[in-house]
Amino acid sequence: MGQYRLPRLNDQLRDEISKLILHGDVKDPRVSTFLSVNRAEVTSDLSYAKVYVSSFLPDGQLRKGVAGLNAAAGFIQREIARKLRIYKFPKLQFVVDEGMRSGFDMVQKLTALEREENERAAGAGNPETDDDSPDFPDSN
């Protein structure tokens, strides 16, 4: 298999699954259009593919959405197999991806720390702006 074929197939799977979710083609009520497909990883023999899904929805809704996608995996496989035309289409397994939420939480924590640091610096008086040296007139 070519060295670029697998990454290209991963990207195509991610894009096609995202389109199916976004257009509402998956009729399972647990699947929300707010679900985001982060990446897909196809095994080298094309038998399985893990599809990582995340969202800013509460954890319970995200897990229900992934369960809905797993229930609709056969439909999704059939729809995408018609478009991609590959010899052997991988069996899809949807997995919750906590990476996006973890990254967002980390950014919020860093922003809060930066805000605290700025408030502390403003409250204590900034030594760069407080200049206790006497003012001398310009000697021009």
Side-chain angles (χ1 to χ4, degrees):
M1 183 178 305
Q3 74 183 55
Y4 298 112
R5 182 175 181 209
L6 215 52
R8 197 172 62 221
L9 181 59
N10 290 337
D11 291 341
Q12 284 179 324
L13 273 177
R14 184 194 68 222
D15 293 343
E16 292 297 327
I17 294 170
S18 296
K19 286 178 190 175
L20 285 174
I21 293 171
L22 186 63
H23 294 155
D25 294 336
V26 181
K27 300 296 183 193
D28 194 311
R30 297 173 288 183
V31 177
S32 170
T33 56
F34 293 111
L35 295 177
S36 174
V37 178
N38 290 347
R39 69 182 191 274
E41 293 178 355
V42 180
T43 58
S44 59
D45 63 350
L46 300 179
S47 13
Y48 295 97
K50 277 190 178 179
V51 181
Y52 294 90
V53 180
S54 67
S55 178
F56 285 114
L57 295 172
D59 282 339
Q61 287 181 335
L62 175 60
R63 296 193 190 289
K64 285 180 184 177
V66 169
L69 287 171
N70 279 320
F75 167 76
I76 295 170
Q77 287 172 208
R78 186 182 71 230
E79 290 298 311
I80 297 174
R82 289 179 184 169
K83 294 178 184 179
L84 294 186
R85 304 228 183 215
I86 58 177
Y87 174 71
K88 183 178 183 182
F89 195 84
K91 183 177 187 313
L92 299 177
Q93 177 187 8
F94 293 92
V95 180
V96 174
D97 187 8
E98 299 289 342
M100 189 167 81
R101 179 167 293 151
S102 298
F104 183 73
D105 290 342
M106 184 61 66
V107 169
Q108 283 185 327
K109 288 176 184 177
L110 290 173
T111 303
L113 286 174
E114 184 179 2
R115 190 177 315 118
E116 286 178 18
E117 182 66 28
N118 289 340
E119 289 173 0
R120 192 175 306 130
N126 195 347
E128 295 173 0
T129 59
D130 291 341
D131 192 12
D132 292 335
S133 62
D135 292 285
F136 294 108
D138 290 336
S139 58
N140 287 341

